[in-house]
Amino acid sequence: MPATVSIHGQWSTRLAFILAATGSAVGLGNIWRFPYIVGDNGGGAFVLVYLACILLIGLPIMMAEILLGRRGRQSPINTMLTVAREEGLSRGWGLMGWIGVLAGFLILSFYSVIAGWALAYVFKSGSGGFIGLDAEGSSEMFGAMLASPEALLAWHTIFMVMTAMVVARGVRSGLERAVTILMPLLVLLLVVLVGYSMAQGEFIAGVQFLFQPDFSALSANAVLLAMGQAFFTLSLGMGAIMVYGSYLSSEASVAKTSGAVVAADTLVALLAGLAIFPILFAAGLSPGQGPGLIFVTLPLAFAEMPMGLYFGTVFFVLLVFAAWTSAISLIEPAVAFLVENLSLTRVFATTLVAMFAWLLGIGALLSLNVWSGYTLFDMGILDLLDYLTANILLPLGGFLIALFVGWRMTERSVQSELRLKLGFVYSLWYFLVRYVAPIAILVVFLRAIGLV
Ligand code: PHE
């Protein structure tokens, strides 16, 4: 008889799970990464491929991850081992859990550095730093921040400590409380920003850039980036959603909860795009700004907006919170594993993981200044970590999950855990998990390395 509750605790309600999973999904990936990758890859066509990846690969894999987590009720590594054993399958499937723990650790290291930028901008905005800013001044301000390893280190450290503090407190009192109030506020503020960009920005140009596809601008590599972004933004392929699923009560509907999380995540990304591009075009900046995109454009809006000082400060505070609720889900799989297997206390396990991620993060932040001369495939440490995790490790993890649920578990166990009525939705999902998702991931991989 599989366990019905995890030793780490359980969400108090289904809504708490939705909020936590949304908290994990909505983060820097939506507001920082999505706009700049869209900007770098020419807009509309990229967005379309991204949306297709969300629906055809992301949503079905999210359901598969939640289903596995709830069935195994442990950290991703032990969940995979347990479910594989119960299904009479190889212990080798535990590898999926290990890839996830590794990916989470690598993502956290650079995630914390970028979240540090957002923290820095809270104070820049609050102290009136955006007042009277023009496009050039905004770029200079961002550049000056990147050039200072001390400042980056300080913010990176503060963010990592914040993250560890919540995770150390455990599922209910820590994770759940943080998301309940903050997520809705973030959406509200994004809507305010979109309102501003409608009134003051080149709104039509922004909408066209986001939604008018020009497929000639789309390279094979861009398709890989769009798929990677889909995994990254939904927190898929590394066990974060799986471990959250392991704290979900057995009654909740996996399909409905996944749908809600995916819809919320996509909405936030599109709102961020709608807020940013019109402001960018109005300021005469090019969309290909790279990772600095929102840090260069949004201050321009806040510089001119009535009460921009307050809106700017609140916006970056909420961005920090969005990043925070994602970062806690990045360490959770590793922490749960250490608690289960080495009987470490939660506090100690969290400290350990956060410390190592923090160290690697220092390498990432130095790659922005002191070590900027060292590159591999033209990328510094931060870019490499980002590329490797989002575009390779996460889709690889997702691929294994799809194979496991679609091909290795018996359909009977899948059905009994999913508790969907056996109608159209179920058949569609099963088809996507078995065929569409794994084949699509494989083809995108092979194309990116030039094999098909
Ligand atoms: N989904 C988060 C974001 O968009 C990042 C993340 C990735 C979190 C993977 C957990 C796991 O910011």
Side-chain angles (χ1 to χ4, degrees), residues 24-30 107 111 229 231-236 238 240 265 322 326-327 329-330 394:
S24 166
V26 174
L28 296 171
N30 307 60
I107 295 175
Y111 204 84
Q229 172 63 17
F231 275 95
F232 189 88
T233 191
L234 294 176
S235 308
L236 291 179
M238 54 74 65
D265 187 81
S326 299
S329 75
L330 283 164
L394 299 184

Short mmCIF file of all heavy atoms in Angstrom, two decimals, residues 24-30 107 111 229 231-236 238 240 265 322 326-327 329-330 394, ligand 1:
data_model
loop_
_atom_site.label_atom_id
_atom_site.label_comp_id
_atom_site.label_asym_id
_atom_site.label_seq_id
_atom_site.Cartn_x
_atom_site.Cartn_y
_atom_site.Cartn_z
N SER A 24 6.12 28.43 -7.61
CA SER A 24 7.33 27.84 -8.18
C SER A 24 7.46 28.22 -9.64
O SER A 24 8.52 28.60 -10.12
CB SER A 24 7.28 26.32 -8.03
OG SER A 24 8.25 25.72 -8.84
N ALA A 25 6.36 28.12 -10.37
CA ALA A 25 6.41 28.35 -11.81
C ALA A 25 6.65 29.82 -12.13
O ALA A 25 7.50 30.17 -12.94
CB ALA A 25 5.10 27.87 -12.45
N VAL A 26 5.88 30.70 -11.49
CA VAL A 26 6.01 32.12 -11.80
C VAL A 26 7.22 32.70 -11.09
O VAL A 26 7.29 32.67 -9.87
CB VAL A 26 4.75 32.90 -11.36
CG1 VAL A 26 4.95 34.39 -11.55
CG2 VAL A 26 3.54 32.41 -12.13
N GLY A 27 8.16 33.17 -11.86
CA GLY A 27 9.36 33.72 -11.24
C GLY A 27 10.14 34.52 -12.25
O GLY A 27 9.56 35.09 -13.18
N LEU A 28 11.44 34.54 -12.06
CA LEU A 28 12.30 35.27 -13.00
C LEU A 28 12.11 34.75 -14.41
O LEU A 28 12.29 35.47 -15.38
CB LEU A 28 13.76 35.10 -12.57
CG LEU A 28 14.11 35.71 -11.22
CD1 LEU A 28 15.51 35.29 -10.80
CD2 LEU A 28 14.00 37.21 -11.28
N GLY A 29 11.76 33.46 -14.52
CA GLY A 29 11.55 32.88 -15.83
C GLY A 29 10.50 33.62 -16.64
O GLY A 29 10.64 33.80 -17.84
N ASN A 30 9.46 34.10 -15.99
CA ASN A 30 8.39 34.79 -16.70
C ASN A 30 8.73 36.25 -16.96
O ASN A 30 8.44 36.78 -18.02
CB ASN A 30 7.11 34.78 -15.86
CG ASN A 30 6.73 33.39 -15.43
OD1 ASN A 30 7.49 32.72 -14.74
ND2 ASN A 30 5.57 32.95 -15.84
N ILE A 107 20.61 25.52 -11.24
CA ILE A 107 19.74 26.68 -11.53
C ILE A 107 19.78 27.64 -10.34
O ILE A 107 19.94 28.85 -10.49
CB ILE A 107 18.28 26.25 -11.80
CG1 ILE A 107 18.21 25.41 -13.08
CG2 ILE A 107 17.38 27.47 -11.94
CD1 ILE A 107 16.83 24.85 -13.38
N TYR A 111 20.28 31.61 -10.40
CA TYR A 111 18.99 32.24 -10.13
C TYR A 111 19.12 33.27 -9.01
O TYR A 111 18.57 34.36 -9.06
CB TYR A 111 18.01 31.15 -9.71
CG TYR A 111 16.55 31.47 -9.94
CD1 TYR A 111 15.97 31.25 -11.18
CD2 TYR A 111 15.75 31.96 -8.92
CE1 TYR A 111 14.62 31.52 -11.39
CE2 TYR A 111 14.42 32.23 -9.12
CZ TYR A 111 13.86 32.01 -10.36
OH TYR A 111 12.53 32.27 -10.58
N GLN A 229 12.69 27.22 -22.53
CA GLN A 229 11.96 28.23 -21.76
C GLN A 229 10.65 27.66 -21.22
O GLN A 229 10.26 27.95 -20.10
CB GLN A 229 11.70 29.47 -22.63
CG GLN A 229 10.80 30.52 -22.03
CD GLN A 229 11.36 31.15 -20.75
OE1 GLN A 229 12.55 31.04 -20.46
NE2 GLN A 229 10.50 31.76 -19.96
N PHE A 231 10.07 24.56 -20.31
CA PHE A 231 10.42 23.75 -19.14
C PHE A 231 10.80 24.63 -17.96
O PHE A 231 10.36 24.42 -16.83
CB PHE A 231 11.58 22.81 -19.47
CG PHE A 231 11.12 21.53 -20.10
CD1 PHE A 231 11.10 21.38 -21.49
CD2 PHE A 231 10.68 20.48 -19.32
CE1 PHE A 231 10.65 20.21 -22.07
CE2 PHE A 231 10.23 19.30 -19.90
CZ PHE A 231 10.22 19.17 -21.27
N PHE A 232 11.64 25.62 -18.25
CA PHE A 232 12.14 26.47 -17.17
C PHE A 232 10.98 27.20 -16.49
O PHE A 232 10.86 27.20 -15.27
CB PHE A 232 13.14 27.48 -17.75
CG PHE A 232 13.87 28.27 -16.72
CD1 PHE A 232 15.05 27.80 -16.17
CD2 PHE A 232 13.39 29.51 -16.28
CE1 PHE A 232 15.74 28.54 -15.21
CE2 PHE A 232 14.06 30.24 -15.31
CZ PHE A 232 15.24 29.76 -14.78
N THR A 233 10.13 27.80 -17.29
CA THR A 233 9.09 28.65 -16.71
C THR A 233 8.06 27.82 -15.93
O THR A 233 7.47 28.29 -14.96
CB THR A 233 8.41 29.51 -17.79
OG1 THR A 233 7.59 30.49 -17.13
CG2 THR A 233 7.55 28.69 -18.73
N LEU A 234 7.84 26.56 -16.35
CA LEU A 234 6.88 25.73 -15.62
C LEU A 234 7.54 24.91 -14.51
O LEU A 234 6.90 24.08 -13.88
CB LEU A 234 6.14 24.81 -16.59
CG LEU A 234 5.23 25.49 -17.62
CD1 LEU A 234 4.64 24.46 -18.57
CD2 LEU A 234 4.11 26.26 -16.93
N SER A 235 8.82 25.14 -14.30
CA SER A 235 9.58 24.39 -13.27
C SER A 235 9.56 22.88 -13.53
O SER A 235 9.55 22.10 -12.59
CB SER A 235 9.02 24.62 -11.86
OG SER A 235 8.90 25.97 -11.57
N LEU A 236 9.58 22.49 -14.79
CA LEU A 236 9.43 21.06 -15.09
C LEU A 236 10.76 20.38 -15.38
O LEU A 236 11.73 21.01 -15.75
CB LEU A 236 8.54 20.89 -16.33
CG LEU A 236 7.09 21.25 -16.12
CD1 LEU A 236 6.33 21.05 -17.41
CD2 LEU A 236 6.48 20.41 -15.00
N MET A 238 12.75 18.71 -13.38
CA MET A 238 13.78 18.57 -12.35
C MET A 238 13.22 18.15 -11.00
O MET A 238 13.96 18.09 -10.03
CB MET A 238 14.64 19.82 -12.23
CG MET A 238 13.96 21.14 -12.01
SD MET A 238 13.31 21.39 -10.36
CE MET A 238 14.80 21.39 -9.38
N ALA A 240 10.87 19.64 -9.08
CA ALA A 240 10.27 20.63 -8.18
C ALA A 240 8.76 20.40 -8.08
O ALA A 240 8.19 20.38 -6.99
CB ALA A 240 10.55 22.05 -8.68
N ASP A 265 0.81 30.78 -15.18
CA ASP A 265 2.20 31.04 -15.57
C ASP A 265 2.27 31.72 -16.94
O ASP A 265 3.02 32.67 -17.13
CB ASP A 265 2.96 29.72 -15.60
CG ASP A 265 4.44 29.95 -15.83
OD1 ASP A 265 5.13 30.28 -14.85
OD2 ASP A 265 4.89 29.83 -16.99
N ALA A 322 8.49 36.78 -6.24
CA ALA A 322 8.24 35.75 -7.25
C ALA A 322 9.46 34.85 -7.38
O ALA A 322 9.35 33.62 -7.47
CB ALA A 322 7.90 36.39 -8.60
N SER A 326 10.06 30.73 -6.20
CA SER A 326 10.60 29.75 -7.15
C SER A 326 11.86 29.12 -6.59
O SER A 326 12.07 27.91 -6.71
CB SER A 326 10.94 30.42 -8.49
OG SER A 326 9.80 30.97 -9.06
N ALA A 327 12.69 29.94 -5.97
CA ALA A 327 13.97 29.44 -5.47
C ALA A 327 13.76 28.37 -4.40
O ALA A 327 14.49 27.38 -4.35
CB ALA A 327 14.80 30.59 -4.91
N SER A 329 11.52 26.23 -4.32
CA SER A 329 11.19 24.95 -4.95
C SER A 329 12.41 24.35 -5.65
O SER A 329 12.42 23.17 -5.98
CB SER A 329 10.04 25.11 -5.93
OG SER A 329 10.47 25.73 -7.11
N LEU A 330 13.42 25.18 -5.90
CA LEU A 330 14.63 24.64 -6.52
C LEU A 330 15.46 23.81 -5.55
O LEU A 330 16.12 22.87 -5.94
CB LEU A 330 15.49 25.79 -7.07
CG LEU A 330 15.01 26.40 -8.38
CD1 LEU A 330 15.68 27.75 -8.63
CD2 LEU A 330 15.31 25.46 -9.55
N LEU A 394 16.71 20.11 -18.19
CA LEU A 394 15.27 20.06 -17.92
C LEU A 394 14.51 19.26 -18.99
O LEU A 394 13.72 18.38 -18.66
CB LEU A 394 14.68 21.46 -17.75
CG LEU A 394 15.22 22.30 -16.59
CD1 LEU A 394 14.49 23.63 -16.47
CD2 LEU A 394 15.14 21.55 -15.26
N1 PHE B 1 9.88 28.35 -12.96
C1 PHE B 1 10.81 29.24 -12.31
C2 PHE B 1 10.75 30.58 -13.02
O1 PHE B 1 10.11 30.71 -14.05
C3 PHE B 1 12.20 28.69 -12.30
C4 PHE B 1 12.30 27.27 -11.87
C5 PHE B 1 12.80 26.31 -12.72
C6 PHE B 1 11.89 26.89 -10.60
C7 PHE B 1 12.88 24.99 -12.36
C8 PHE B 1 11.95 25.56 -10.20
C9 PHE B 1 12.44 24.63 -11.09
O2 PHE B 1 11.35 31.51 -12.60
#
